[in-house]
Amino acid sequence: MATILHLAIVLWMAVPFSYFISAGANIFTVPKLRDTGAVLGQLSFVSGMACVFVMGLFYALRVPAAVCGAFLALGALMLYEGTRRTVVDRNFFVGLSGEVPAAVCDAGPYRYVRHPFYLSYMLAFVAVAVAFPSLIVAGMCLVNIGLFVYIALDDERVLLQSPLTADYMSYKVRVGMFLPRFARKR
């Protein structure tokens, strides 16, 4: 029974990364000349899956930590799916493409954070670090979180230099980058 639980947790922890790859291929537009963001994203997700399988299959599982990580992974999937459903048919581009969508999106999870896709990716990496605590996993987690922060900052730079500058500035004042910004009523 312990082996089945162990394998179930390992497989569950890999699900967000495989889902990000497969679902993202059907959501984001990848420009032919600038696919750096797509390649980096896929490498990032593969590194997450590799970490899960190596740590999950070759090291002892700490069940309380693994269960907490599994719940965080569920949260990452839920945020991703809510965001994915919000942007279907909105012509969103992959990160680092330098492309601008038709309009600023402030629906769904975008009402609360400016980069819910990247936040879901970061949450999945934190889930792995919680489920399989080690220096190697923590390092991999930090590198990938750094990557997604960098991509989010690049997206913002592109939007602030586009025809959407005024709309994005207004949106940026109201909505936090990765954490909700709760405005005080006056």
Side-chain angles (χ1 to χ4, degrees), residues 76-118:
L77 279 171
M78 290 171 60
L79 176 59
Y80 183 89
E81 184 57 21
T83 307
R84 186 192 69 78
R85 288 172 185 244
T86 300
V87 303
V88 166
D89 298 326
R90 289 189 189 231
N91 200 28
F92 269 45
F93 294 90
V94 295
L96 300 176
S97 68
E99 300 292 331
V100 179
V104 173
C105 179
D106 62 357
Y110 286 93
R111 287 181 295 206
Y112 308 105
V113 293
R114 295 193 306 268
H115 301 284
F117 276 120
Y118 301 138

Side-chain angles (χ1 to χ4, degrees), residues 31 34 93-102 104 115 118 150-166 168-169 172 177:
R34 294 190 71 185
F93 294 90
V94 295
L96 300 176
S97 68
E99 300 292 331
V100 179
V104 173
H115 301 284
Y118 301 138
Y150 173 77
I151 294 172
L153 290 170
D154 184 71
D155 286 355
E156 294 204 344
R157 178 191 58 77
V158 169
L159 283 164
L160 290 171
Q161 295 173 353
S162 76
L164 299 176
T165 299
Y168 196 75
M169 285 296 294
K172 191 175 175 181
M177 188 170 195

Side-chain angles (χ1 to χ4, degrees), residues 23-184:
N26 298 318
I27 291 296
F28 299 108
T29 303
V30 180
K32 291 181 177 155
L33 298 176
R34 294 190 71 185
D35 67 348
T36 307
V39 171
L40 286 174
Q42 290 175 356
L43 288 173
S44 171
F45 303 145
V46 168
S47 77
M49 283 190 288
C51 229
V52 166
F53 288 125
V54 169
M55 297 304 292
L57 298 176
F58 298 109
Y59 292 90
L61 186 68
R62 297 177 185 157
V63 175
V67 170
C68 288
F71 277 108
L72 288 170
L74 176 62
L77 279 171
M78 290 171 60
L79 176 59
Y80 183 89
E81 184 57 21
T83 307
R84 186 192 69 78
R85 288 172 185 244
T86 300
V87 303
V88 166
D89 298 326
R90 289 189 189 231
N91 200 28
F92 269 45
F93 294 90
V94 295
L96 300 176
S97 68
E99 300 292 331
V100 179
V104 173
C105 179
D106 62 357
Y110 286 93
R111 287 181 295 206
Y112 308 105
V113 293
R114 295 193 306 268
H115 301 284
F117 276 120
Y118 301 138
L119 179 58
S120 70
Y121 304 155
M122 291 186 274
L123 186 57
F125 281 104
V126 168
V128 173
V130 168
F132 307 107
S134 75
L135 289 176
I136 293 169
V137 175
M140 182 271 315
C141 177
L142 289 174
V143 166
N144 282 293
I145 287 174
L147 169 67
F148 292 115
V149 169
Y150 173 77
I151 294 172
L153 290 170
D154 184 71
D155 286 355
E156 294 204 344
R157 178 191 58 77
V158 169
L159 283 164
L160 290 171
Q161 295 173 353
S162 76
L164 299 176
T165 299
D167 290 342
Y168 196 75
M169 285 296 294
S170 172
Y171 174 66
K172 191 175 175 181
V173 168
R174 295 186 324 269
V175 179
M177 188 170 195
F178 298 114
L179 297 174
R181 185 176 292 153
F182 298 105
R184 291 182 230 158

